[in-house]
Amino acid sequence: MKVAVMGYGTIGSGVVEVLEVNKDLITARAGEPLEVKYILDLRDFPGDPYEDRIVHDYRTILQDKEVGVVVEAMGGVEPAYTFVKAMLEAGKHVTTSNKNLVAAKGAELIKIARERNINFMFEASVGGGIPIIRPLNTCLSAERIDEITGILNGTTNYMLTRMANEGVSFDSVLKDAQAKGYAEADPTADIEGYDPCRKIAILTSLVCGKQVDYEDIYTEGITKITAEDFAYAKAMDCSIKLLASSKRAGESFRCMVAPFMLSKNHPLCGVNDVFNAVFVKGNMLGDAMFYGSGAGKLQTASAVVADIVDMTKHAHVNIRIEWEPENMELVDYTESTNRFFVRTTSPIDAVETAFGVASGDMPGVVEYIEGVVAGEIGFTTSAMTEADFAKAAEQISVVNRVRLG
Ligand code: HSE
């Protein structure tokens, strides 16, 4: 099998490295040798062992009938979409690590591959090296999946872990994460939650078999989380994690990306540093967890190479992926029910006038957390809709609020 790699950055060079380091076992598993024939990049790489394979025009790959599998590791929607679509239409299998491309164009690219009896795979686009796409599409194909909740972003999980352990501020931990190369120079997609938003949109699309638009998912990042919030979390024996969540609600789903305060016995609370984890609940299986390296050069490249092997083994067979272009209308997030932790400078009687006191079926304040930050109090609420919470919260002076997991 002749392979072309588009994009010779972190992931693309990782793919070449994995193919080289594990050459013998990969050949045995694929049933034939896998040879990198081209590497597409704008740059030249003088002195690189693969220097002679570098090309600058994607049409060189497109027009070479020998190339059977193409790896897309360029990132972004364009020109990745144009190149990938052309490769599929030319009958070449494609695997990508690019969640932006998959979230935006997944249904269409899957359809093109199916019509041509080839494959479009994207194991590395969610959870990096953690197997999650193939398990959902294959191992769990007998399940009705009722919930997926994950820590799907390594950068923010690293930052939140540092804030929890060291009590440091968001700004200082972001600077440090950038210096260490964990956070990108422009960290917006991570810290604003756009990256996990695309990932949960992909997972939900696979679960429901329809297109879930990431623009429809309510998304909050971690930029408003402070060292004081973590002081409260500590007092409550909790930590704060950025969760991407999708829960079945009748024929639809409630999806959300937001920071959540998790008690120490929550299965996702112990997922620290750059690790990711995905919790899945099936109606027959019950609970399952997938845990591991959600990012990283070789970890992500390993998942890409596994797709290459699978596509080589299924060179003339389309492995069906149920994800149609028809749109899935999500439940409006204001109807989602959550419990909340709130910090306020308002007095207790004002809090209780706004929220009430929880008792029996009556929603309201559950407990107060005092003495953590001077001049304010913290309190938790029972479960209430986002709309009801917003209505009550506007009657008091809120310093910050974090949902409770
Ligand atoms: N920026 C992403 C993360 C990379 O931190 O998880 C993997 O998608």
Side-chain angles (χ1 to χ4, degrees):
M1 179 62 84
K2 301 280 192 283
V3 177
V5 178
M6 302 196 296
Y8 202 34
T10 307
I11 308 301
S13 60
V15 167
V16 172
E17 190 175 336
V18 171
L19 285 168
E20 186 62 48
V21 172
N22 284 346
K23 193 176 187 166
D24 294 342
L25 64 88
I26 289 169
T27 300
R29 287 170 189 166
E32 60 181 286
L34 305 179
E35 186 198 320
V36 176
K37 185 165 184 185
Y38 299 111
I39 297 170
L40 177 74
D41 205 284
L42 290 170
R43 301 161 292 179
D44 287 310
F45 293 85
D48 187 281
Y50 287 80
E51 184 184 359
D52 59 335
R53 327 276 168 100
I54 301 284
V55 293
H56 302 301
D57 185 343
Y58 83 106
R59 286 168 297 193
T60 309
I61 300 168
L62 191 64
Q63 287 156 9
D64 188 332
K65 291 203 163 26
E66 262 197 355
V67 175
V69 171
V70 178
V71 173
E72 187 279 304
M74 302 187 300
V77 177
E78 281 293 1
Y81 168 63
T82 300
F83 293 3
V84 166
K85 190 174 172 189
M87 297 300 170
L88 290 170
E89 285 173 338
K92 300 179 194 305
H93 299 264
V94 175
T95 167
T96 180
S97 57
N98 181 347
K99 66 237 147 195
N100 296 311
L101 174 68
V102 179
K105 304 288 183 185
E108 182 191 342
L109 297 171
I110 286 167
K111 188 163 176 272
I112 296 171
R114 192 187 297 156
E115 286 163 359
R116 282 160 182 75
N117 211 25
I118 49 172
N119 293 288
F120 172 65
M121 292 188 174
F122 43 93
E123 182 60 61
S125 65
V126 180
I130 306 174
I132 184 62
I133 304 290
R134 197 168 278 101
L136 281 179
N137 197 43
T138 304
C139 318
L140 299 178
S141 57
E143 289 292 316
R144 185 192 71 211
I145 305 294
D146 290 330
E147 178 180 348
I148 298 185
T149 298
I151 292 175
L152 296 178
N153 184 266
T155 305
T156 48
N157 204 40
Y158 168 80
M159 291 174 63
L160 293 173
T161 304
R162 293 274 316 273
M163 288 176 80
N165 292 346
E166 297 162 38
V168 284
S169 74
F170 175 85
D171 289 336
S172 76
V173 82
L174 175 59
K175 275 197 196 99
D176 191 50
Q178 283 172 312
K180 289 203 165 81
Y182 291 139
E184 300 188 25
D186 178 2
T188 313
D190 295 319
I191 61 177
E192 296 291 0
Y194 307 152
D195 170 90
C197 171
R198 281 158 178 77
K199 291 168 175 168
I200 198 70
I202 293 170
L203 297 181
T204 311
S205 297
L206 286 172
V207 163
C208 69
K210 294 182 183 171
Q211 173 68 22
V212 172
D213 284 335
Y214 61 85
E215 295 99 331
D216 295 344
I217 298 177
Y218 176 82
T219 300
E220 262 179 44
I222 63 164
T223 51
K224 294 196 177 83
I225 300 295
T226 64
E228 287 76 23
D229 297 330
F230 272 102
Y232 276 100
K234 202 170 179 184
M236 295 160 69
D237 207 21
C238 289
S239 196
I240 300 171
K241 297 289 184 189
L242 182 63
L243 299 187
S245 173
S246 175
K247 291 181 182 162
R248 187 177 291 277
E251 296 299 304
S252 184
F253 289 82
R254 297 178 200 277
C255 295
M256 179 181 278
V257 176
F260 277 76
M261 211 177 253
L262 302 181
S263 81
K264 286 278 154 69
N265 52 21
H266 190 288
L268 292 172
C269 192
V271 177
N272 287 319
D273 300 312
V274 290
F275 284 95
N276 282 194
V278 193
F279 167 84
V280 178
K281 188 189 275 296
N283 68 332
M284 299 290 125
L285 170 76
D287 298 349
M289 276 268 281
F290 299 82
Y291 171 86
S293 296
K297 175 179 173 170
L298 295 176
Q299 295 88 334
T300 307
S302 171
V304 174
V305 174
D307 278 352
I308 302 175
V309 171
D310 211 11
M311 295 192 293
T312 304
K313 283 162 40 176
H314 297 94
H316 306 291
V317 182
N318 172 257
I319 300 171
R320 190 176 171 81
I321 300 175
E322 195 59 21
W323 177 351
E324 305 302 324
E326 184 191 341
N327 188 259
M328 164 57 75
E329 198 168 319
L330 299 177
V331 176
D332 191 293
Y333 108 95
T334 56
E335 293 171 33
S336 293
T337 301
N338 282 302
R339 294 181 302 128
F340 293 84
F341 160 74
V342 187
R343 289 170 56 199
T344 180
T345 49
S346 299
I348 283 180
D349 56 346
V351 169
E352 294 187 353
T353 304
F355 283 85
V357 177
S359 125
D361 286 344
M362 290 286 292
V365 176
V366 173
E367 68 170 324
Y368 291 99
I369 304 97
E370 298 180 75
V372 176
V373 175
E376 62 175 68
I377 51 169
F379 66 93
T380 62
T381 74
S382 56
M384 55 181 68
T385 65
E386 292 279 340
D388 286 344
F389 174 80
K391 231 182 280 168
E394 70 188 17
Q395 297 170 47
I396 60 168
S397 174
V398 173
V399 180
N400 203 1
R401 90 281 182 271
V402 185
R403 293 169 185 85
L404 294 167

